[in-house]
Amino acid sequence: MRHYILRFFVFIICFSCAKEVKKADENSETGFPEYTSDPRADFAIIIHGGAGTILKKNMTPEREAAYKAKLEEAIKVGYEILKNGGTSLDAVQKTINVMEDSPLFNAGKGSVFTNAETNELDASIMDGKTLNAGASAGTTTVRNPINLARVIMDKSPHVMMAGSGAETYAKEQGLVIVEPSYFHTERRLNSVKRAKEREQVELDHDDKTAFYDAEIQNYKFGTVGCAALDKNGNLAAGTSTGGMTNKRYGRVGDAPIIGAGTYANNNSCAVSSTGWGEYFIRAMVAHDISALMQYKGLSLKEAAQEVIQNKVPELGGDGGIVAVDKNGNMVAEFNTAGMYRATMNDKGELVIGIYKE
Ligand code: ASP
């Protein structure tokens, strides 16, 4: 009899191990563990620092360490808020603030330059409980655009404000206002100068459309975003960016467009996007993922794969998303060489990734 009981326990142990292995296999595609939480996790948080041609061969160990350290610092701010019972909205906003204040990312300080060598910033935030949202576009003096998006959501009757009007509102609301030069960094200025020089040379010889396409592909990454689930089961997402290097004429990307760059709905998931904004707007990326879950019953992973690996590349665009669903499952899906990203679950386990690996 003892023999049978022993065999029974050995069987149970083997069975659970097999289940674990299966989870790891399912996630091997991006080399980045996606957490599957059953039952619902207490809380969860996932961030990105932009997607693009991020290759290990172009990275120094110091630079890689700097990115990882900042991603860790940022996500831990949100994690602490969630752990202490704070809201997902606060976690998203404060986490994004850390990345906006770092010159490493294309958001806040360190934003990319426009063709006119200015910095024009976009941001948005969304509350999955109420479907309320706030967004700002093309601001040049608001230090933390995600804070402006938040006050637009919380305190104004509007969802989106742009340009000088948005800046007036930011001042009225007592947000930190800075000189436009606050956002400047040598690195980003050199990027736009190089882009413009190349443009001049190429435009003399080449077909314009092909040139702009190549140019855009080389110069987009570094946007920041966050999606979180709090202990009350509320989801939130936010995104902040300087847009794309060498952008022109008041160009606005997907980051401040609710449904494209950011979306959150307690019935499905919270999503923040990064990538070639024009395509993300046309594909309505963030809302599409939520809708596939809500209306078609897809899992977060299936929905994200459908949009990021099929719909966006079929149109010709590239990029990625981070997302968390109502049960605390987290997904980082991208079709580029890399995406700066990190997750923390309710057990305090931290995972940071950069490349597809
Ligand atoms: N999506 C941003 C934009 O198009 C750029 C990025 O994510 O890197 O403005």
Side-chain angles (χ1 to χ4, degrees), residues 95-228:
T95 298
I96 288 180
N97 283 162
V98 176
M99 294 189 282
E100 284 179 331
D101 291 345
S102 161
L104 288 175
F105 301 100
N106 170 21
K109 178 145 190 83
S111 283
V112 298
F113 282 81
T114 66
N115 180 262
E117 298 187 7
T118 56
N119 304 105
E120 295 177 9
L121 281 56
D122 303 331
S124 64
I125 194 162
M126 185 159 184
D127 178 356
K129 181 181 175 194
T130 58
L131 301 190
N132 204 352
S136 68
T139 58
T140 58
T141 60
V142 182
R143 192 177 100 166
N144 293 102
I146 197 73
N147 296 358
L148 176 54
R150 180 79 190 266
V151 294
I152 291 170
M153 174 175 83
D154 287 349
K155 303 203 172 134
S156 88
H158 307 301
V159 167
M160 190 172 193
M161 294 187 193
S164 59
E167 286 170 349
T168 305
Y169 188 65
K171 255 187 240 160
E172 258 177 47
Q173 291 298 320
L175 299 189
V176 180
I177 303 298
V178 291
E179 286 298 319
S181 60
Y182 162 82
F183 300 107
H184 294 190
T185 52
E186 273 299 299
R187 173 184 168 218
R188 301 292 194 191
L189 188 59
N190 290 338
S191 291
V192 79
K193 287 202 154 107
R194 275 201 308 275
K196 282 163 55 172
E197 274 163 27
R198 251 206 309 279
E199 180 175 73
Q200 212 37 60
V201 175
E202 301 267 338
L203 285 183
D204 292 341
H205 304 94
D206 223 332
D207 154 48
K208 264 188 179 177
T209 321
F211 172 74
Y212 285 127
D213 282 2
E215 192 59 18
I216 283 171
Q217 227 140 15
N218 288 333
Y219 285 99
K220 53 174 172 46
F221 45 85
T223 290
V224 306
C226 177

Side-chain angles (χ1 to χ4, degrees), residues 55-87:
L55 296 167
K56 201 167 177 80
K57 66 173 180 22
N58 299 335
M59 189 76 94
T60 63
E62 295 76 31
R63 200 159 177 75
E64 189 176 306
Y67 273 105
K68 285 186 170 164
K70 198 45 85 171
L71 288 168
E72 180 169 349
E73 180 190 334
I75 201 164
K76 282 189 168 162
V77 167
Y79 169 82
E80 284 301 322
I81 292 172
L82 297 170
K83 191 175 129 199
N84 294 323
T87 66

Side-chain angles (χ1 to χ4, degrees), residues 12 37 55 65 86 153 211 214 220 228 236 258 265 270 303 306 312:
I12 293 291
S37 301
L55 296 167
M153 174 175 83
F211 172 74
K220 53 174 172 46
I258 296 302
N265 182 335
E306 177 58 34
V312 170

Side-chain angles (χ1 to χ4, degrees), residues 276-323:
W276 192 341
E278 280 68 12
Y279 290 91
F280 276 61
I281 295 172
R282 290 168 54 201
M284 269 288 118
V285 166
H287 179 263
D288 233 41
I289 293 170
S290 161
L292 284 171
M293 293 179 72
Q294 199 178 354
Y295 305 136
K296 278 196 124 183
L298 265 60
S299 71
L300 178 61
K301 180 72 183 166
E302 290 164 344
Q305 271 182 334
E306 177 58 34
V307 178
I308 295 299
Q309 308 300 351
N310 298 330
K311 188 175 180 181
V312 170
E314 273 162 24
L315 287 174
D318 62 359
I321 58 99
V322 294

Side-chain angles (χ1 to χ4, degrees), residues 220-221 223 241 243-244 251 253-254 274-277:
K220 53 174 172 46
F221 45 85
T223 290
T241 189
M244 291 177 34
R251 180 263 187 190
D254 59 317
T274 176
W276 192 341

